Amino acid sequence: MASIDDLFKKKPNVPSNKRKFDISQDPNTVYKSTKITANGDVKSNGRATVEDAEDDDDVEAGPELPPDEAEETIDDEEGRFFGGGITNDTADVLNFIDERDKDGDAKAEKIDAAWVRKLALNFERRISKNSELRAKFEDDPQKFMGSEADLDADIKALSILSDHPDLYGEFAKLGCVASLVSLLSHENTDIAIDAIEIINELTDEDMEAEQEQWDLLVDAMRIRKKESVISQNKQYAAEILAILLQSSSSNRTKFIELDGVDILLQLLSPYRKRDPAKGTEEEEYVENLFDSETCCVDESNGKTKFLEAEGIELCLIMLREGKMSKPRALRLLDHALGGPDGAACCEKLVEAAGLKHDNQATEHLLGILASMLRSLPANSAERIRLLAKFVEKDYEKIDRAMKIRREYASKVAAVDQEIQIERAKLSEEDQEDKADEWLSRRLDAGLYSLQTVDVILAWLVAEDSGAKKRIQGLLAERDESLDVVRATLRDQLKSIDTDAEDSDTVYQDMLATLVEHLR
Protein backbone atom coordinates (compact mmCIF):
# COMPACT_ATOMS: atom_id res chain seq x y z
CA MET A 1 0.00 0.00 0.00
CA ALA A 2 1.30 3.42 -0.97
CA SER A 3 2.04 5.88 1.75
CA ILE A 4 0.55 9.33 1.90
CA ASP A 5 3.87 10.80 0.92
CA ASP A 6 3.87 8.72 -2.24
CA LEU A 7 0.45 9.97 -3.24
CA PHE A 8 1.67 13.59 -3.31
CA LYS A 9 4.89 12.93 -5.20
CA LYS A 10 5.13 14.30 -8.74
CA LYS A 11 4.92 11.83 -11.60
CA PRO A 12 7.25 13.16 -14.40
CA ASN A 13 5.47 11.50 -17.32
CA VAL A 14 1.98 12.83 -16.51
CA PRO A 15 1.33 16.45 -17.41
CA SER A 16 -0.70 18.35 -14.86
CA ASN A 17 -2.51 21.65 -14.82
CA LYS A 18 -2.97 21.71 -11.05
CA ARG A 19 -1.64 24.59 -8.98
CA LYS A 20 1.73 23.81 -7.58
CA PHE A 21 2.70 25.36 -4.29
CA ASP A 22 6.12 26.91 -4.10
CA ILE A 23 7.23 26.41 -0.57
CA SER A 24 10.02 28.85 -1.07
CA GLN A 25 7.46 31.70 -0.96
CA ASP A 26 5.71 33.01 2.11
CA PRO A 27 1.94 32.22 1.91
CA ASN A 28 1.08 35.68 3.15
CA THR A 29 3.13 37.26 0.38
CA VAL A 30 1.29 35.21 -2.21
CA TYR A 31 -2.08 36.22 -0.74
CA LYS A 32 -1.24 39.91 -0.77
CA SER A 33 0.15 39.92 -4.28
CA THR A 34 -3.04 38.41 -5.55
CA LYS A 35 -5.29 40.87 -3.71
CA ILE A 36 -3.58 44.12 -4.63
CA THR A 37 -3.36 43.75 -8.43
CA ALA A 38 -4.29 46.68 -10.61
CA ASN A 39 -7.76 45.49 -11.53
CA GLY A 40 -8.35 43.39 -8.45
CA ASP A 41 -9.11 40.25 -10.56
CA VAL A 42 -7.28 37.23 -9.32
CA LYS A 43 -8.00 35.22 -12.46
CA SER A 44 -6.46 37.87 -14.80
CA ASN A 45 -2.92 36.80 -13.85
CA GLY A 46 -3.31 33.37 -15.32
CA ARG A 47 -2.52 30.18 -13.44
CA ALA A 48 0.04 30.22 -10.73
CA THR A 49 2.70 27.42 -11.07
CA VAL A 50 4.31 25.86 -8.17
CA GLU A 51 7.40 23.64 -8.59
CA ASP A 52 7.57 20.25 -7.04
CA ALA A 53 9.35 20.04 -3.78
CA GLU A 54 12.32 17.71 -3.81
CA ASP A 55 11.80 16.78 -0.20
CA ASP A 56 8.23 15.57 0.11
CA ASP A 57 8.45 15.33 3.85
CA ASP A 58 8.51 19.14 4.13
CA VAL A 59 5.26 19.63 2.18
CA GLU A 60 2.09 20.21 4.21
CA ALA A 61 -1.25 19.11 2.79
CA GLY A 62 -4.55 20.92 3.32
CA PRO A 63 -5.95 24.45 3.01
CA GLU A 64 -3.95 27.65 3.18
CA LEU A 65 -2.88 29.06 6.51
CA PRO A 66 -4.91 32.01 7.73
CA PRO A 67 -3.14 35.35 7.89
CA ASP A 68 -1.60 36.51 11.17
CA GLU A 69 -3.92 38.40 13.53
CA ALA A 70 -1.80 41.53 13.48
CA GLU A 71 -1.75 41.67 9.69
CA GLU A 72 -5.51 40.98 9.51
CA THR A 73 -6.26 44.01 11.63
CA ILE A 74 -4.23 46.22 9.30
CA ASP A 75 -5.03 44.81 5.87
CA ASP A 76 -8.56 43.43 6.10
CA GLU A 77 -10.32 46.16 4.20
CA GLU A 78 -13.28 44.01 3.20
CA GLY A 79 -14.57 43.63 6.76
CA ARG A 80 -16.00 40.45 8.33
CA PHE A 81 -15.71 38.21 5.24
CA PHE A 82 -11.95 38.01 5.65
CA GLY A 83 -9.78 37.32 8.62
CA GLY A 84 -11.44 36.44 11.96
CA GLY A 85 -15.07 37.18 10.92
CA ILE A 86 -15.60 40.36 13.05
CA THR A 87 -15.14 44.07 12.41
CA ASN A 88 -12.48 46.18 14.03
CA ASP A 89 -15.08 48.06 16.14
CA THR A 90 -16.55 44.82 17.43
CA ALA A 91 -13.09 43.59 18.30
CA ASP A 92 -12.41 46.78 20.26
CA VAL A 93 -15.64 46.35 22.25
CA LEU A 94 -14.85 42.73 23.06
CA ASN A 95 -11.34 43.69 24.14
CA PHE A 96 -12.74 46.43 26.40
CA ILE A 97 -15.14 44.00 28.07
CA ASP A 98 -12.38 41.47 28.54
CA GLU A 99 -10.22 44.08 30.22
CA ARG A 100 -13.02 45.13 32.59
CA ASP A 101 -13.66 41.52 33.53
CA LYS A 102 -9.99 40.96 34.18
CA ASP A 103 -9.68 44.09 36.32
CA GLY A 104 -12.94 43.38 38.23
CA ASP A 105 -14.31 46.81 37.40
CA ALA A 106 -17.70 45.60 36.09
CA LYS A 107 -20.01 45.81 39.10
CA ALA A 108 -23.81 45.28 39.36
CA GLU A 109 -25.96 48.37 40.02
CA LYS A 110 -26.81 48.79 43.69
CA ILE A 111 -30.54 48.47 44.43
CA ASP A 112 -31.30 50.68 47.43
CA ALA A 113 -33.49 53.60 48.53
CA ALA A 114 -31.57 56.06 46.34
CA TRP A 115 -32.16 53.81 43.35
CA VAL A 116 -35.89 53.67 44.14
CA ARG A 117 -36.08 57.47 44.35
CA LYS A 118 -34.41 57.79 40.96
CA LEU A 119 -36.73 55.15 39.52
CA ALA A 120 -39.77 56.88 41.00
CA LEU A 121 -38.75 60.26 39.61
CA ASN A 122 -38.38 58.87 36.10
CA PHE A 123 -41.65 56.95 36.42
CA GLU A 124 -43.63 60.03 37.45
CA ARG A 125 -42.03 62.07 34.67
CA ARG A 126 -43.06 59.48 32.11
CA ILE A 127 -46.66 59.54 33.35
CA SER A 128 -46.81 63.34 33.35
CA LYS A 129 -45.27 63.64 29.91
CA ASN A 130 -47.61 61.03 28.43
CA SER A 131 -50.66 62.71 29.96
CA GLU A 132 -49.55 66.11 28.69
CA LEU A 133 -48.93 64.89 25.15
CA ARG A 134 -52.19 62.91 25.07
CA ALA A 135 -54.14 65.99 26.07
CA LYS A 136 -52.28 68.25 23.64
CA PHE A 137 -52.38 65.94 20.61
CA GLU A 138 -55.54 64.01 21.25
CA ASP A 139 -56.32 63.67 17.55
CA ASP A 140 -52.77 62.83 16.47
CA PRO A 141 -51.60 59.56 18.15
CA GLN A 142 -48.24 59.71 16.39
CA LYS A 143 -47.30 62.65 18.61
CA PHE A 144 -47.71 60.74 21.88
CA MET A 145 -46.93 57.13 20.93
CA GLY A 146 -43.24 57.68 21.67
CA SER A 147 -43.99 58.75 25.24
CA GLU A 148 -46.28 55.76 25.59
CA ALA A 149 -43.50 53.39 24.60
CA ASP A 150 -41.20 55.00 27.18
CA LEU A 151 -43.90 54.66 29.83
CA ASP A 152 -44.39 51.02 28.89
CA ALA A 153 -40.67 50.36 29.40
CA ASP A 154 -40.63 52.14 32.77
CA ILE A 155 -43.60 50.16 34.03
CA LYS A 156 -41.91 46.89 33.16
CA ALA A 157 -38.72 48.09 34.87
CA LEU A 158 -40.63 48.13 38.16
CA SER A 159 -40.61 44.33 38.19
CA ILE A 160 -37.17 44.39 39.79
CA LEU A 161 -38.84 45.57 43.01
CA SER A 162 -40.35 42.11 43.41
CA ASP A 163 -36.85 40.91 44.34
CA HIS A 164 -36.49 43.67 46.94
CA PRO A 165 -39.62 43.77 49.15
CA ASP A 166 -37.64 45.76 51.71
CA LEU A 167 -38.02 48.74 49.35
CA TYR A 168 -41.84 48.54 49.21
CA GLY A 169 -42.16 51.16 51.94
CA GLU A 170 -39.96 53.68 50.15
CA PHE A 171 -41.78 53.01 46.87
CA ALA A 172 -45.16 53.60 48.54
CA LYS A 173 -43.92 56.68 50.39
CA LEU A 174 -42.95 58.32 47.11
CA GLY A 175 -46.54 57.99 45.84
CA CYS A 176 -45.64 55.70 42.96
CA VAL A 177 -48.03 52.96 44.03
CA ALA A 178 -51.01 55.27 43.64
CA SER A 179 -49.67 56.38 40.26
CA LEU A 180 -49.31 52.75 39.20
CA VAL A 181 -52.89 52.02 40.25
CA SER A 182 -54.12 55.05 38.31
CA LEU A 183 -52.68 53.52 35.13
CA LEU A 184 -55.29 50.76 35.35
CA SER A 185 -57.68 53.19 33.67
CA HIS A 186 -55.22 54.31 31.00
CA GLU A 187 -56.65 54.76 27.50
CA ASN A 188 -54.02 52.43 26.08
CA THR A 189 -54.98 48.89 27.10
CA ASP A 190 -51.35 47.75 26.78
CA ILE A 191 -50.35 50.22 29.50
CA ALA A 192 -53.24 49.07 31.69
CA ILE A 193 -52.24 45.42 31.20
CA ASP A 194 -48.64 46.24 32.10
CA ALA A 195 -49.84 47.88 35.32
CA ILE A 196 -51.93 44.80 36.16
CA GLU A 197 -48.99 42.48 35.57
CA ILE A 198 -46.64 44.55 37.75
CA ILE A 199 -49.19 44.78 40.57
CA ASN A 200 -49.72 41.03 40.33
CA GLU A 201 -45.99 40.46 40.45
CA LEU A 202 -45.44 42.75 43.44
CA THR A 203 -48.28 41.12 45.38
CA ASP A 204 -47.59 37.52 44.41
CA GLU A 205 -48.15 35.11 47.29
CA ASP A 206 -44.72 33.56 46.74
CA MET A 207 -43.01 36.84 47.58
CA GLU A 208 -40.89 36.63 50.70
CA ALA A 209 -42.04 39.90 52.26
CA GLU A 210 -42.79 40.73 55.88
CA GLN A 211 -46.30 41.64 56.98
CA GLU A 212 -45.36 45.28 57.54
CA GLN A 213 -44.02 45.53 53.99
CA TRP A 214 -47.22 43.99 52.62
CA ASP A 215 -49.34 46.45 54.62
CA LEU A 216 -47.43 49.47 53.32
CA LEU A 217 -47.88 48.37 49.72
CA VAL A 218 -51.54 47.41 50.04
CA ASP A 219 -52.48 50.57 51.97
CA ALA A 220 -50.87 52.69 49.27
CA MET A 221 -52.89 50.87 46.63
CA ARG A 222 -56.10 51.83 48.45
CA ILE A 223 -55.43 55.53 47.98
CA ARG A 224 -57.84 57.10 45.56
CA LYS A 225 -57.61 60.50 43.99
CA LYS A 226 -60.43 62.81 45.05
CA GLU A 227 -62.88 63.87 42.45
CA SER A 228 -62.28 67.40 41.32
CA VAL A 229 -65.78 67.68 39.89
CA ILE A 230 -68.99 66.43 41.45
CA SER A 231 -70.51 63.72 39.31
CA GLN A 232 -74.13 63.72 38.25
CA ASN A 233 -74.75 60.65 40.41
CA LYS A 234 -73.59 62.50 43.52
CA GLN A 235 -75.75 65.47 42.68
CA TYR A 236 -78.83 63.25 42.28
CA ALA A 237 -78.04 61.39 45.51
CA ALA A 238 -77.80 64.68 47.46
CA GLU A 239 -81.10 65.86 45.99
CA ILE A 240 -82.90 62.63 46.89
CA LEU A 241 -81.45 62.76 50.41
CA ALA A 242 -82.72 66.32 50.90
CA ILE A 243 -86.22 65.29 49.77
CA LEU A 244 -86.28 62.28 52.12
CA LEU A 245 -85.12 64.30 55.13
CA GLN A 246 -87.62 67.10 54.48
CA SER A 247 -90.54 64.72 54.16
CA SER A 248 -90.21 62.57 57.28
CA SER A 249 -89.13 63.02 60.88
CA SER A 250 -88.39 59.29 61.14
CA ASN A 251 -86.02 59.59 58.17
CA ARG A 252 -84.19 62.42 59.90
CA THR A 253 -83.92 60.45 63.14
CA LYS A 254 -82.50 57.39 61.40
CA PHE A 255 -80.07 59.46 59.36
CA ILE A 256 -78.83 61.24 62.50
CA GLU A 257 -78.29 57.88 64.21
CA LEU A 258 -76.09 56.84 61.28
CA ASP A 259 -73.82 59.82 62.03
CA GLY A 260 -75.21 61.68 59.03
CA VAL A 261 -74.76 65.12 60.59
CA ASP A 262 -70.99 64.74 60.83
CA ILE A 263 -70.76 63.26 57.32
CA LEU A 264 -72.63 66.22 55.85
CA LEU A 265 -70.36 68.67 57.66
CA GLN A 266 -67.31 66.92 56.22
CA LEU A 267 -68.78 67.16 52.73
CA LEU A 268 -69.50 70.87 53.24
CA SER A 269 -66.11 71.65 54.74
CA PRO A 270 -64.26 72.14 51.40
CA TYR A 271 -66.68 74.97 50.58
CA ARG A 272 -65.87 77.09 53.62
CA LYS A 273 -63.56 79.17 51.41
CA ARG A 274 -64.13 77.83 47.91
CA ASP A 275 -67.28 78.43 45.90
CA PRO A 276 -68.58 75.99 43.28
CA ALA A 277 -68.94 77.34 39.76
CA LYS A 278 -72.27 79.06 39.22
CA GLY A 279 -74.93 77.19 37.32
CA THR A 280 -73.16 73.83 37.67
CA GLU A 281 -74.22 70.51 39.15
CA GLU A 282 -71.73 71.12 41.95
CA GLU A 283 -73.56 74.27 43.05
CA GLU A 284 -76.84 72.38 43.23
CA TYR A 285 -75.06 69.59 45.09
CA VAL A 286 -73.85 72.02 47.78
CA GLU A 287 -77.30 73.55 48.17
CA ASN A 288 -78.81 70.10 48.70
CA LEU A 289 -76.19 69.33 51.35
CA PHE A 290 -77.08 72.51 53.23
CA ASP A 291 -80.80 71.68 52.98
CA SER A 292 -80.17 68.20 54.35
CA GLU A 293 -78.11 69.50 57.27
CA THR A 294 -80.72 72.15 58.05
CA CYS A 295 -83.39 69.46 58.27
CA CYS A 296 -81.24 67.46 60.68
CA VAL A 297 -80.59 70.32 63.11
CA ASP A 298 -84.33 70.89 63.46
CA GLU A 299 -84.37 67.67 65.50
CA SER A 300 -83.24 67.68 69.12
CA ASN A 301 -80.65 64.92 68.67
CA GLY A 302 -79.56 66.63 65.44
CA LYS A 303 -78.66 69.78 67.38
CA THR A 304 -76.59 67.68 69.79
CA LYS A 305 -74.70 65.96 66.95
CA PHE A 306 -74.22 69.29 65.20
CA LEU A 307 -72.65 70.74 68.33
CA GLU A 308 -70.40 67.71 68.89
CA ALA A 309 -69.19 67.79 65.27
CA GLU A 310 -68.16 71.45 65.64
CA GLY A 311 -70.83 72.63 63.23
CA ILE A 312 -71.03 76.03 64.94
CA GLU A 313 -67.35 76.68 64.29
CA LEU A 314 -67.62 75.63 60.64
CA CYS A 315 -70.58 77.95 60.08
CA LEU A 316 -68.71 80.88 61.64
CA ILE A 317 -65.76 80.26 59.31
CA MET A 318 -68.16 80.30 56.37
CA LEU A 319 -69.68 83.57 57.61
CA ARG A 320 -66.24 85.19 57.77
CA GLU A 321 -64.60 83.78 54.64
CA GLY A 322 -67.27 82.20 52.47
CA LYS A 323 -69.25 83.72 49.62
CA MET A 324 -71.81 81.33 48.26
CA SER A 325 -71.83 79.46 51.60
CA LYS A 326 -72.33 82.55 53.80
CA PRO A 327 -76.13 82.96 53.63
CA ARG A 328 -76.65 79.20 53.79
CA ALA A 329 -74.43 78.92 56.87
CA LEU A 330 -76.40 81.69 58.54
CA ARG A 331 -79.65 79.88 57.76
CA LEU A 332 -78.19 76.68 59.18
CA LEU A 333 -77.22 78.47 62.40
CA ASP A 334 -80.71 79.97 62.62
CA HIS A 335 -82.26 76.50 62.63
CA ALA A 336 -79.62 75.03 64.95
CA LEU A 337 -80.16 77.73 67.58
CA GLY A 338 -83.94 77.76 67.26
CA GLY A 339 -86.45 75.79 69.33
CA PRO A 340 -86.48 74.84 73.00
CA ASP A 341 -83.41 72.60 72.61
CA GLY A 342 -81.17 75.22 71.04
CA ALA A 343 -79.74 76.60 74.30
CA ALA A 344 -76.48 74.62 74.06
CA CYS A 345 -75.90 75.86 70.52
CA CYS A 346 -76.59 79.44 71.63
CA GLU A 347 -74.04 79.16 74.40
CA LYS A 348 -71.48 77.72 72.00
CA LEU A 349 -72.07 80.57 69.56
CA VAL A 350 -71.39 83.15 72.27
CA GLU A 351 -68.33 81.22 73.42
CA ALA A 352 -67.01 81.16 69.86
CA ALA A 353 -66.94 84.97 69.77
CA GLY A 354 -70.40 85.53 68.37
CA LEU A 355 -71.43 86.93 65.03
CA LYS A 356 -69.68 89.44 62.84
CA HIS A 357 -71.82 90.05 59.81
CA ASP A 358 -72.72 92.34 56.96
CA ASN A 359 -76.16 93.54 55.90
CA GLN A 360 -77.03 90.36 54.04
CA ALA A 361 -79.27 87.56 55.34
CA THR A 362 -80.83 89.83 57.98
CA GLU A 363 -83.77 87.51 58.46
CA HIS A 364 -81.62 84.60 59.63
CA LEU A 365 -79.42 86.81 61.78
CA LEU A 366 -82.47 88.17 63.59
CA GLY A 367 -83.68 84.60 64.08
CA ILE A 368 -80.36 83.65 65.67
CA LEU A 369 -80.42 86.60 68.08
CA ALA A 370 -84.01 85.90 69.06
CA SER A 371 -83.16 82.24 69.71
CA MET A 372 -80.20 83.23 71.87
CA LEU A 373 -82.30 85.62 73.97
CA ARG A 374 -84.90 82.92 74.39
CA SER A 375 -82.56 80.03 75.20
CA LEU A 376 -79.61 81.40 77.17
CA PRO A 377 -80.17 80.96 80.94
CA ALA A 378 -80.96 84.04 83.00
CA ASN A 379 -77.95 85.67 84.69
CA SER A 380 -75.56 83.30 82.87
CA ALA A 381 -72.25 84.62 81.63
CA GLU A 382 -73.29 83.95 78.03
CA ARG A 383 -76.52 85.92 78.39
CA ILE A 384 -74.74 88.83 80.02
CA ARG A 385 -72.21 88.91 77.16
CA LEU A 386 -75.03 88.93 74.62
CA LEU A 387 -76.90 91.78 76.33
CA ALA A 388 -73.66 93.73 76.60
CA LYS A 389 -73.40 93.70 72.81
CA PHE A 390 -76.64 95.69 72.58
CA VAL A 391 -75.56 98.17 75.23
CA GLU A 392 -71.99 98.84 74.07
CA LYS A 393 -71.05 101.81 71.90
CA ASP A 394 -74.00 103.89 73.09
CA TYR A 395 -76.65 101.29 72.16
CA GLU A 396 -75.40 101.07 68.58
CA LYS A 397 -76.98 97.60 68.04
CA ILE A 398 -80.37 98.82 69.30
CA ASP A 399 -80.26 101.71 66.85
CA ARG A 400 -79.57 99.21 64.07
CA ALA A 401 -82.44 96.97 65.23
CA MET A 402 -84.86 99.91 65.23
CA LYS A 403 -83.80 100.87 61.71
CA ILE A 404 -84.51 97.35 60.52
CA ARG A 405 -87.91 97.45 62.24
CA ARG A 406 -88.91 100.63 60.46
CA GLU A 407 -87.95 99.18 57.06
CA TYR A 408 -90.00 96.03 57.49
CA ALA A 409 -92.89 97.80 59.23
CA SER A 410 -93.34 100.17 56.30
CA LYS A 411 -93.33 97.29 53.77
CA VAL A 412 -95.83 95.24 55.75
CA ALA A 413 -98.05 98.29 56.29
CA ALA A 414 -98.22 98.90 52.53
CA VAL A 415 -99.32 95.31 51.90
CA ASP A 416 -101.84 95.48 54.77
CA GLN A 417 -103.38 98.55 53.20
CA GLU A 418 -103.80 96.70 49.90
CA ILE A 419 -105.36 93.74 51.67
CA GLN A 420 -107.83 95.98 53.50
CA ILE A 421 -109.04 97.41 50.21
CA GLU A 422 -109.48 93.90 48.79
CA ARG A 423 -111.19 92.67 51.96
CA ALA A 424 -113.84 95.38 51.76
CA LYS A 425 -114.95 94.05 48.37
CA LEU A 426 -115.28 90.39 49.39
CA SER A 427 -117.79 88.41 51.36
CA GLU A 428 -116.78 86.62 54.54
CA GLU A 429 -116.60 83.30 52.69
CA ASP A 430 -114.35 84.75 50.01
CA GLN A 431 -112.22 86.39 52.65
CA GLU A 432 -111.58 82.99 54.22
CA ASP A 433 -110.54 81.63 50.85
CA LYS A 434 -108.06 84.48 50.39
CA ALA A 435 -106.62 84.25 53.92
CA ASP A 436 -103.67 82.03 52.94
CA GLU A 437 -102.82 84.21 49.96
CA TRP A 438 -102.87 87.37 52.05
CA LEU A 439 -100.64 85.76 54.70
CA SER A 440 -98.15 84.75 52.01
CA ARG A 441 -98.03 88.30 50.70
CA ARG A 442 -97.42 89.69 54.18
CA LEU A 443 -94.59 87.20 54.76
CA ASP A 444 -93.02 88.16 51.44
CA ALA A 445 -93.11 91.79 52.55
CA GLY A 446 -91.12 90.92 55.70
CA LEU A 447 -93.69 90.00 58.35
CA TYR A 448 -91.47 87.30 59.87
CA SER A 449 -88.51 89.67 60.18
CA LEU A 450 -90.76 92.33 61.74
CA GLN A 451 -92.08 89.88 64.30
CA THR A 452 -88.59 88.62 65.10
CA VAL A 453 -87.06 92.06 65.62
CA ASP A 454 -89.99 93.03 67.88
CA VAL A 455 -89.34 89.90 69.99
CA ILE A 456 -85.72 91.04 70.36
CA LEU A 457 -86.77 94.55 71.34
CA ALA A 458 -89.28 93.15 73.85
CA TRP A 459 -86.55 91.07 75.47
CA LEU A 460 -84.27 94.10 75.74
CA VAL A 461 -87.08 96.15 77.32
CA ALA A 462 -87.64 93.41 79.88
CA GLU A 463 -83.92 92.87 80.60
CA ASP A 464 -82.36 96.33 80.77
CA SER A 465 -83.83 99.66 81.85
CA GLY A 466 -81.29 101.63 79.82
CA ALA A 467 -82.20 99.68 76.70
CA LYS A 468 -85.91 100.30 77.41
CA LYS A 469 -85.41 104.04 77.54
CA ARG A 470 -83.41 104.00 74.31
CA ILE A 471 -86.12 102.03 72.49
CA GLN A 472 -88.90 104.29 73.78
CA GLY A 473 -86.95 107.36 72.64
CA LEU A 474 -86.44 105.98 69.13
CA LEU A 475 -90.13 105.06 68.83
CA ALA A 476 -91.15 108.52 69.97
CA GLU A 477 -89.29 110.02 67.01
CA ARG A 478 -92.19 108.77 64.86
CA ASP A 479 -94.91 109.34 67.42
CA GLU A 480 -94.95 105.67 68.34
CA SER A 481 -94.73 103.80 71.63
CA LEU A 482 -94.13 100.30 72.88
CA ASP A 483 -97.72 99.58 71.93
CA VAL A 484 -96.71 98.95 68.30
CA VAL A 485 -94.24 96.31 69.45
CA ARG A 486 -96.87 94.84 71.75
CA ALA A 487 -99.40 94.69 68.91
CA THR A 488 -97.00 92.72 66.71
CA LEU A 489 -96.43 90.15 69.47
CA ARG A 490 -100.17 89.79 70.07
CA ASP A 491 -100.80 89.18 66.37
CA GLN A 492 -98.09 86.54 66.46
CA LEU A 493 -99.77 84.88 69.44
CA LYS A 494 -103.11 84.81 67.63
CA SER A 495 -101.55 83.13 64.57
CA ILE A 496 -100.31 80.17 66.62
CA ASP A 497 -102.59 77.15 66.43
CA THR A 498 -102.84 76.04 70.04
CA ASP A 499 -104.73 72.88 69.09
CA ALA A 500 -101.94 71.52 66.92
CA GLU A 501 -99.97 68.54 68.26
CA ASP A 502 -96.62 70.15 67.52
CA SER A 503 -97.59 73.48 69.06
CA ASP A 504 -94.72 75.10 70.99
CA THR A 505 -96.38 75.97 74.29
CA VAL A 506 -93.10 77.26 75.72
CA TYR A 507 -92.85 79.80 72.92
CA GLN A 508 -96.45 80.87 73.48
CA ASP A 509 -95.81 81.41 77.17
CA MET A 510 -92.72 83.44 76.33
CA LEU A 511 -94.67 85.72 74.01
CA ALA A 512 -97.44 86.19 76.56
CA THR A 513 -94.89 87.15 79.22
CA LEU A 514 -93.18 89.66 76.92
CA VAL A 515 -96.55 91.23 76.06
CA GLU A 516 -97.10 91.84 79.78
CA HIS A 517 -93.69 93.52 80.14
CA LEU A 518 -94.60 95.97 77.37
CA ARG A 519 -97.61 97.43 79.17
Side-chain angles (χ1 to χ4, degrees), residues 78-358:
E78 298 297 329
R80 61 183 294 244
F81 295 105
F82 294 90
I86 60 174
T87 63
N88 295 341
D89 291 340
T90 306
D92 291 341
V93 172
L94 292 175
N95 291 336
F96 176 75
I97 293 175
D98 290 340
E99 291 176 2
R100 284 176 60 94
D101 290 341
K102 290 178 182 178
D103 297 338
D105 293 336
K107 297 180 181 178
E109 187 175 9
K110 186 176 181 181
I111 309 299
D112 55 8
W115 177 86
V116 172
R117 287 192 289 270
K118 181 180 179 181
L119 180 72
L121 181 62
N122 290 333
F123 181 55
E124 295 293 344
R125 283 177 177 171
R126 297 291 192 199
I127 295 176
S128 300
K129 183 178 180 180
N130 178 243
S131 299
E132 180 182 348
L133 292 177
R134 265 191 169 271
K136 188 175 181 180
F137 304 105
E138 183 177 2
D139 299 327
D140 190 359
Q142 294 297 330
K143 296 290 183 65
F144 59 76
M145 288 307 295
S147 68
E148 221 134 277
D150 294 338
L151 178 58
D152 178 80
D154 276 19
I155 295 173
K156 292 176 179 177
L158 297 177
S159 62
I160 196 171
L161 286 171
S162 61
D163 297 329
H164 302 276
D166 54 306
L167 297 176
Y168 280 3
E170 184 69 21
F171 187 62
K173 180 181 176 182
L174 294 170
C176 292
V177 177
S179 299
L180 180 62
V181 172
S182 69
L183 293 177
L184 295 175
S185 59
H186 198 278
E187 292 86 346
N188 188 333
T189 53
D190 291 336
I191 298 294
I193 291 172
D194 287 344
I196 292 173
E197 291 176 348
I198 292 299
I199 291 173
N200 180 61
E201 191 172 342
L202 295 178
T203 57
D204 190 274
E205 60 182 4
D206 295 332
M207 288 289 301
E208 297 181 358
E210 298 179 1
Q211 186 61 42
E212 182 181 357
Q213 296 167 350
W214 281 118
D215 293 342
L216 289 171
L217 186 65
V218 174
D219 289 344
M221 287 183 179
R222 290 174 181 167
I223 296 175
R224 294 294 181 269
K225 189 175 181 178
K226 294 183 178 179
E227 291 183 334
S228 58
V229 179
I230 300 301
S231 66
Q232 194 175 54
N233 288 339
K234 276 192 173 183
Q235 189 269 316
Y236 284 151
E239 184 176 358
I240 293 172
L241 177 62
I243 294 172
L244 291 173
L245 295 178
Q246 290 170 3
S247 61
S248 172
S249 177
S250 60
N251 288 343
R252 294 193 290 270
T253 301
K254 184 64 177 178
F255 183 73
I256 293 168
E257 291 174 354
L258 295 173
D259 207 20
V261 172
D262 186 43
I263 293 173
L264 288 174
L265 288 175
Q266 291 182 36
L267 293 174
L268 288 170
S269 179
Y271 302 99
R272 62 189 183 276
K273 296 181 180 180
R274 180 179 71 85
D275 289 342
K278 290 185 178 181
T280 61
E281 292 177 345
E282 187 178 13
E283 183 180 29
E284 188 173 352
Y285 165 78
V286 174
E287 291 176 351
N288 286 322
L289 291 181
F290 271 110
D291 290 342
S292 297
E293 189 77 322
T294 301
C295 291
C296 290
V297 298
D298 283 335
E299 302 292 330
S300 178
N301 56 341
K303 296 179 190 295
T304 303
K305 292 289 186 180
F306 183 74
L307 194 61
E308 293 174 353
E310 299 182 350
I312 298 291
E313 291 82 350
L314 178 61
C315 287
L316 290 176
I317 292 174
M318 290 179 172
L319 289 176
R320 289 194 299 267
E321 303 177 9
K323 293 180 181 178
M324 177 263 192
S325 62
K326 181 179 293 186
R328 291 163 180 80
L330 193 56
R331 173 172 171 260
L332 180 57
L333 278 177
D334 187 7
H335 284 256
L337 273 61
D341 300 313
C345 291
C346 293
E347 293 175 2
K348 186 64 178 179
L349 182 62
V350 175
E351 180 183 336
L355 296 170
K356 294 181 180 179
H357 63 92
D358 52 23

Side-chain angles (χ1 to χ4, degrees), residues 292 366 371 419 429 487:
S292 297
L366 292 173
S371 297
I419 293 174
E429 183 178 352

